[in-house]
Amino acid sequence: MMSSVQNAKRNDLKSTLKFVVVALTLIGILFGTALGVALAASLKTELGLLQSPAFFSLILGGLFLIAIAWHYAKKIDRL
């Protein structure tokens, strides 16, 4: 049987890992958005952001990072 101290440490580690995974995902999305805005600003203004080559990569990159965060949050829950 696990002691209550070990259980508390395990729960604390799980919550810390979840926070780190979510924080890294948000930082990645914000960095990608900043990069996309910089790329869109360098294009002609007539094209707009939706026609920027970075638009779809931003969407797919954000979804990929969210999927990774969700995957690892589920793994952390199983600890």
Side-chain angles (χ1 to χ4, degrees), residues 2 5 8 10-11 19-20 24 26 36-37 53 62 68 71 76-77:
M2 290 177 62
V5 173
R10 184 171 152 262
N11 289 338
F19 175 76
V20 167
L24 288 176
L26 290 176
V37 168
I68 289 173
H71 173 73
I76 290 167
D77 278 339

Side-chain angles (χ1 to χ4, degrees), residues 17 20 22 28 33 46 68-69:
L17 285 174
V20 167
V22 170
T33 303
E46 301 91 37
I68 289 173

Side-chain angles (χ1 to χ4, degrees), residues 1-14:
M1 284 180 31
M2 290 177 62
S3 71
S4 60
V5 173
Q6 285 175 329
N7 200 16
K9 284 183 181 180
R10 184 171 152 262
N11 289 338
D12 186 44
L13 176 65
K14 282 170 59 173

Side-chain angles (χ1 to χ4, degrees), residues 17-35:
L17 285 174
K18 277 186 182 181
F19 175 76
V20 167
V21 166
V22 170
L24 288 176
T25 302
L26 290 176
I27 289 170
I29 290 171
L30 289 174
F31 178 75
T33 303
L35 181 66

